[in-house]
Each structure stands twice: as C-alpha cells, then as structure tokens.
Amino acid sequence: PDINPDATEINDDGIDQDCDGVDGTSSTALYDAEDLEYGSLIVTEIMNDTVMVSEGVGEWFEVYVNYPYEVDLIGLVLSDLGSDSITVSSSLVVQPGEYVVFGANTDTTANGGITVDYDFGSFSLGNSDDEIILSNSTTTIDDVEYDGGPLFPSTPGAAMSLDPAATDEGVVFRLDVAK
C-alpha cells in the first residue's frame, strides 16, 4: 500500500518518494547499449543530402532493432571515422523489431516531417561520403560506409535504404536510393 501516492518520484536517486516499495527508474529495460553485440542494431536508411529543408535540420538515419529483448540505448555511441562522435545521453527504450530514427532535429515542422526519436545534435552526415558507426565501449554494433558512387548512390533529396536482399556478413551494406 502506498503511504503517499501523490508524492513525485525522482528517478534513480535511491529514495522511494511515493512509498510504493520501489525507487522510480528512468528505464524499465533490463538491457542497455553495453549488452548489444555486432548485428543487434542495423542501419536501414540514411537521409544525408536534404533538398526541401536545410542540411542542419533535415539529416537523419534509421536503425532496426535486431535484438531479442527490450533495450535502453542510453550509452550507445554514434560516430564516424572523422571527428563526429556523440553518445546517447538520455533513456531511449526500444523494443525488438522496432525502428528508431536518429536525426538533426526533432521538430517535424522544420525537419521535413520526419519523426525523430533522438536528436543527434552536432553529428553530421556528409553528402558525398561518410560513415555511421554504432558502438558501445567494447564492440562495433553496426557500421555503414557510403561513397556517393556506384556502391552507395546518393541523390540529393532521396534517402538511401538498405537493399532487402542484402545480408550482413561482416561486409559493408549495399544501399539503394529509396523510391
């Protein structure tokens, strides 16, 4: 029984403010980014060269959750082979089989109408070539290197998407321009 069910719970502080027998937590997931292995997340779509909105707000990429359990992506590192690197710093709980979108802006009225699940801030996607590397402290979970050429055609204003016939056997994914 709750002694003070109206008390506001402060997540993850070790104190049970509402006296329900448990401290509130910011995540109910039993797994986090540190539990993920290679292939647990798969980059499936990339919008790197926007036309309808400015580059600073319209870039995004989509990731498929290929992990059998609910997982909190807090701690996931997004990087490239250059200087871009950010760490997911707030709880982002996803379910098996879900898609999650990382983008430059969560405002759908400014970003071209895309629902972005996590704002990647200063991380940027090069128009001609770049990389997206998803990792934790010990493992690369997925990586995509695109070249804007024959292997990864890039058309301004069109997202590149994972070819459904592609398989991940430790090689770079083949992406085709989305129709």
Side-chain angles (χ1 to χ4, degrees):
D2 291 339
I3 295 173
N4 188 358
D6 296 325
T8 301
E9 191 73 70
I10 300 171
N11 292 336
D12 302 313
D13 69 346
I15 301 170
D16 180 17
Q17 281 87 5
D18 66 1
C19 302
D20 66 355
V22 246
D23 178 32
T25 60
S26 55
S27 171
T28 59
L30 296 176
Y31 300 94
D32 62 28
E34 288 301 312
D35 296 304
L36 299 176
E37 300 173 340
Y38 187 77
S40 297
L41 301 174
I42 301 170
V43 176
T44 54
E45 196 166 3
I46 302 169
M47 171 53 84
N48 64 310
D49 193 357
T50 60
V51 172
M52 300 303 288
V53 296
S54 69
E55 294 275 331
V57 296
E59 294 178 343
W60 53 269
F61 64 92
E62 175 190 78
V63 172
Y64 175 73
V65 181
N66 190 38
Y67 193 67
Y69 308 105
E70 176 182 77
V71 61
D72 190 342
L73 298 181
I74 191 167
L76 180 70
V77 177
L78 317 175
S79 63
D80 64 11
L81 295 176
S83 60
D84 285 333
S85 181
I86 66 139
T87 301
V88 174
S89 60
S90 59
S91 182
L92 179 58
V93 177
V94 294
Q95 303 297 319
E98 258 187 359
Y99 290 86
V100 60
V101 176
F102 296 89
N105 191 315
T106 57
D107 182 352
T108 57
T109 62
N111 74 9
I114 299 299
T115 300
V116 171
D117 299 297
Y118 191 85
D119 185 333
F120 58 50
S122 62
F123 190 85
S124 67
L125 303 172
N127 289 346
S128 59
D129 67 342
D130 208 346
E131 311 80 28
I132 298 172
I133 302 166
L134 308 178
S135 61
N136 56 32
S137 65
T138 60
T139 264
T140 296
I141 299 163
D142 192 25
D143 60 320
V144 173
E145 298 178 26
Y146 58 90
D147 65 2
L151 295 177
F152 290 82
S154 181
T155 301
M160 298 179 286
S161 64
L162 179 64
D163 181 341
T167 59
D168 179 14
E169 297 174 353
V171 298
V172 175
F173 288 109
R174 182 175 149 244
L175 297 173
D176 290 324
V177 175
K179 304 290 188 245

